[in-house]
Amino acid sequence: MNDRIAEVAGIQKEELQGRIIWEVFPDVVKTEFYTQVHRAMAQQTVVQFDMKPKEPTALRMSF
């Protein structure tokens, strides 16, 4: 967890450490983000993708 993600999520970084992301953000399950993170882990590779956020703040994701 980096400072920017914690800032965007509105959660203190310390509150997230050691927790499962899908439990903290259950609405993310079955989204493009969820799919791409699992693809990156399964293939042990970097993936890049763009998402259209519900909020006006856009993020470029890279894992």
Side-chain angles (χ1 to χ4, degrees):
M1 174 60 63
N2 64 37
D3 293 331
R4 178 67 178 136
I5 297 297
E7 178 185 337
V8 169
I11 299 173
Q12 294 292 320
K13 191 165 62 171
E14 294 75 22
E15 292 178 52
L16 300 173
Q17 291 175 337
R19 296 182 62 195
I20 297 170
I21 191 171
W22 317 124
E23 292 175 2
V24 177
F25 303 106
D27 292 342
V28 175
V29 175
K30 297 189 181 178
T31 65
E32 184 68 13
F33 175 78
Y34 182 89
T35 300
Q36 295 297 337
V37 168
H38 279 83
R39 182 171 70 106
M41 295 298 292
Q43 296 176 359
Q44 291 294 294
T45 190
V46 174
V47 297
Q48 293 184 346
F49 58 98
D50 292 318
M51 293 180 12
K52 284 193 170 192
K54 294 178 184 176
E55 302 295 324
T57 306
L59 295 175
R60 176 172 282 277
M61 303 289 181
S62 181
F63 292 90

